[in-house]
Amino acid sequence: MDYKVKAAEKCSATYAAIPEEWRLSPECLSLLQQPVEKCRNNLFEPDFIQSSGILSPKEREITENYEVSRLLGALAGGTLSAVEVTVAFSKRAAIAQQLILFDQALERARDLDALRSSGNLAGPLHGLPISIKDSFQVKGTQATIGLVSYLDRVSDVNSVLVDVLLQLGAVLYLKTNVPQTMMTADSHNNIFGRVLNPWNTMLTAGGSSGGEGALVGFRGSPLGVGTDVGGSIRIPSLCCGTYGFKPTAGRIPYGQQVGCSDPGLRMILAAAGPIANDIDALEIFVKAVVNARPALLDHTAIDVPWKEMKLATDHKLRLGLLAEDPLYPLHPPVQAALDKAVNILREHGHKIIEITPVEGHVADSAEVAWNLWGLDATADEIVKAGGEPAVPSRLSLARDAAATNWSFVPDLSQLPALKKLSFLNIKRSEIAANWNRTWRVHNLDAVIGPPAQHTAVEHDNYGIPAYTVLLNLLDYPACVLPFSHASSSTTPRSFEKKPGQAGPPYHPSVVEGAPCSIQIFTRKMCDEQCLAVAAIIDKALNL
């Protein structure tokens, strides 16, 4: 069957799962400039949700004004039922048209409400609707990850994290869209199409957990779960103005994920982690999952209990400041947000120590990572087997990499594969050893810096995610905090890349109002410290 026919059938089946009364009317859709992905549409202005007429006032209150901790308290106390919370977020998610599990979710919510009425709770996440990336398996459903070759597959097992979340009392109510192969920062595939940024539909929502970033940013989910091997939690977070946390690999179970890489060539370990609209939700999620001891179910998970780390709000931090890498210059809004954040933190008494580009190894890490990924051709073979073309962002990413003036890794084209792998692992170890020295010499609590060169940019233009992949190569935990918005009135309108520099162009009128973010990271296995430091920084930046 032609790939377009198979994709259309799957897309139609997904849309058919949305109840008729939850579908957008032609009048509501007419409020959007068309074509949507090429026009500047902010789905919060005009009030798109209210115009839809789909959510009641109480459902809007639930989806817009509850942080996760307050939502869990209301569910545990019975002031909100699991059914009404699940319906509210399901309706809002239906507006966003994701990959839907509504029927199963409502049945689950009814069971949880019956349990609570008998005086019991299922667990610390009782009744909380949680959305998950399409790479997670749910028994009896599909996890296509945007690949036509996977359209005939139906999962016969749950991913380990799915079982853990159900054990903790969560309601899993939908799965979200990803890019073809999950190896590009623009969530677009030939089955479900392109994820749009709710702040500006001309801009990418990021990837590969782009469906999660857009849905949480749109408040169609109180908490979403993504995965991250090069920035795939943090990139959608910075694009859509949400909080995102990439743990050390293995702290959150990754077993039974659907992927399209050679399982024997996973040199850079992926991590699963949360995306949310408040920072406390990140710790609530990670702590609950870690304390469930997922290593008993997943041999790849690390069996280390959660370490309580409550730093006083007046605790003074020693923070490294990751400098701009000369090969990846920062767009003016990103530099302005970082400068503003640093000034605020200094005013609060925190010590800022600059980490030089040589110490930072941002471009070097991107080069090593790109070469490691290049050893595995499995994804290309799967796309080809499905008879479908590569999506534009994968092609543009390859062009960007080929044109980048990297200098850390010599030409390896004449070496056999194992020699290439050996050399790249040695270079990776060199970067890790140098960072180990940096932590020790500067006696740092954490490091702050940009999560990317830029804010969300036009579709298919994201480029190499150098500032996030650094932390995947090192396997460091990292948190992204939303802070400020792009404004051409307070930043230079001109930006020019010098010869040899990489990255997308800067179009101030297009990215006007786009969310900006700050990235915080700590050493490997210091996940608790990363979140504790991030909470202090977030509070300082939002006073």
Side-chain angles (χ1 to χ4, degrees):
M1 188 185 297
D2 180 82
Y3 85 90
K4 292 182 180 179
V5 176
K6 294 182 72 174
E9 288 181 351
K10 175 61 178 177
C11 213
S12 295
T14 300
Y15 184 72
I18 301 175
E20 187 74 34
E21 63 273 20
W22 295 2
R23 299 180 189 178
L24 294 171
S25 67
E27 292 76 20
C28 187
L29 290 171
S30 69
L31 296 173
L32 302 177
Q33 298 181 67
Q34 302 290 337
V36 176
E37 67 274 14
K38 295 182 179 180
C39 297
R40 187 186 184 89
N41 293 289
N42 183 328
L43 300 186
F44 303 100
E45 299 174 356
D47 195 337
F48 187 68
I49 298 297
Q50 183 171 339
S51 299
S52 74
I54 294 172
L55 275 74
S56 70
K58 184 175 182 180
E59 289 165 341
R60 290 199 63 187
E61 171 75 13
I62 290 170
T63 58
E64 294 175 6
N65 296 324
Y66 277 79
E67 293 183 344
V68 166
S69 59
R70 184 178 168 218
L71 201 56
L72 285 169
L75 285 160
T79 55
L80 290 176
S81 71
V83 167
E84 61 186 341
V85 172
T86 299
V87 168
F89 281 103
S90 294
K91 284 185 175 183
R92 195 154 182 139
I95 296 172
Q97 294 186 35
Q98 304 291 309
L99 316 182
I100 301 150
L101 306 171
F102 293 153
D103 290 343
Q104 301 97 309
L106 288 173
E107 181 178 353
R108 163 80 168 167
R110 292 186 191 102
D111 290 343
L112 290 171
D113 284 340
L115 183 65
R116 201 211 66 80
S117 67
S118 68
N120 297 300
L121 297 177
L125 302 181
H126 180 97
L128 183 69
I130 292 181
S131 52
I132 54 176
K133 188 175 182 175
D134 191 34
S135 56
F136 289 95
Q137 294 195 78
V138 176
K139 190 174 180 179
T141 70
Q142 290 183 301
T144 68
I145 61 171
L147 292 169
V148 172
S149 287
Y150 288 1
L151 277 172
D152 296 326
R153 297 184 175 191
V154 176
S155 297
D156 57 6
V157 297
N158 287 340
S159 293
V160 173
L161 184 56
V162 167
D163 282 333
V164 171
L165 291 175
L166 292 173
Q167 172 193 329
L168 293 171
V171 177
L172 304 182
Y173 68 117
L174 79 165
K175 301 174 75 179
T176 52
N177 203 11
V178 300
Q180 182 190 66
T181 74
M182 298 196 297
M183 286 301 292
T184 167
D186 201 283
S187 293
H188 175 214
N189 59 65
N190 292 316
I191 301 174
F192 301 108
R194 186 185 296 281
V195 179
L196 303 177
N197 191 316
W199 291 98
N200 180 350
T201 55
M202 286 182 69
L203 304 180
T204 181
S208 63
S209 309
E212 285 300 324
L215 185 67
V216 173
F218 190 60
R219 291 194 168 271
S221 172
L223 196 154
V225 186
T227 65
D228 193 316
V229 75
S232 294
I233 289 170
R234 293 159 291 153
I235 293 168
S237 295
L238 75 91
C239 287
C240 299
T242 70
Y243 294 82
F245 180 59
K246 181 204 83 69
T248 303
R251 290 304 299 274
I252 303 297
Y254 203 81
Q256 299 290 359
Q257 286 270 336
V258 171
C260 57
S261 61
D262 185 329
L265 290 175
R266 291 175 179 168
M267 283 73 66
I268 302 176
L269 295 177
I275 297 174
N277 282 308
D278 68 275
I279 193 164
D280 290 342
L282 305 181
E283 181 172 328
I284 288 170
F285 173 88
V286 178
K287 179 180 176 179
V289 173
V290 167
N291 283 342
R293 297 194 68 190
L296 299 178
L297 303 174
D298 182 359
H299 73 280
T300 69
I302 300 169
D303 196 10
V304 174
W306 181 261
K307 303 184 291 289
E308 292 293 343
M309 180 172 288
K310 298 296 183 184
L311 299 177
T313 54
D314 60 352
H315 180 84
K316 303 308 176 189
L317 301 165
R318 286 182 61 84
L319 299 171
L321 173 61
L322 187 65
E324 172 187 76
D325 190 287
L327 191 57
Y328 294 95
L330 304 182
H331 284 192
V334 174
Q335 186 66 66
L338 187 59
D339 290 345
K340 183 178 178 182
V342 167
N343 289 336
I344 291 173
L345 293 171
R346 282 181 171 143
E347 289 170 0
H348 280 76
H350 303 297
K351 181 72 173 178
I352 307 295
I353 300 101
E354 183 166 336
I355 306 300
T356 67
V358 172
E359 292 175 302
H361 285 291
V362 170
D364 301 338
S365 296
E367 184 179 11
V368 172
W370 184 260
N371 278 276
L372 284 170
W373 288 325
L375 297 175
D376 184 5
T378 305
D380 288 334
E381 294 167 358
I382 293 172
V383 171
K384 184 178 180 181
E388 59 176 315
V391 293
S393 61
R394 290 184 59 218
L395 302 177
S396 64
L397 186 62
R399 288 194 298 268
D400 288 347
T404 300
N405 191 25
W406 282 320
S407 59
F408 189 64
V409 176
D411 182 10
L412 305 179
S413 59
Q414 301 306 309
L415 294 180
L418 282 178
K419 286 291 186 181
K420 289 180 184 178
L421 176 59
S422 173
F423 187 88
L424 291 169
N425 279 331
I426 290 169
K427 299 300 280 185
R428 177 184 186 170
S429 182
E430 180 182 334
I431 294 170
N434 288 343
W435 260 103
N436 192 58
R437 178 181 180 277
T438 295
W439 289 105
R440 185 176 68 253
V441 167
H442 296 300
N443 189 27
L444 302 173
D445 293 309
V447 176
I448 63 171
Q453 288 178 269
H454 44 73
T455 62
V457 290
E458 295 97 321
H459 302 296
D460 306 324
N461 281 276
Y462 194 95
I464 300 291
Y467 290 92
T468 50
V469 76
L470 161 71
L471 308 175
N472 298 96
L473 196 76
L474 294 168
D475 196 15
Y476 285 176
C479 187
V480 164
L481 312 178
F483 178 66
S484 190
H485 289 81
S487 172
S488 57
S489 65
T490 58
T491 55
R493 293 189 61 80
S494 61
F495 171 82
E496 185 175 348
K497 288 189 297 183
K498 297 176 182 177
Q501 291 182 324
Y506 170 52
H507 297 141
S509 61
V510 176
V511 302
E512 183 76 22
C516 296
S517 299
I518 306 298
Q519 183 169 226
I520 299 103
F521 60 91
T522 51
R523 300 177 66 145
K524 186 175 181 177
M525 290 299 294
C526 293
D527 302 68
E528 296 89 342
Q529 181 174 336
C530 186
L531 287 171
V533 170
I536 290 176
I537 292 174
D538 185 63
K539 183 173 182 179
L541 297 183
N542 288 288
L543 285 176

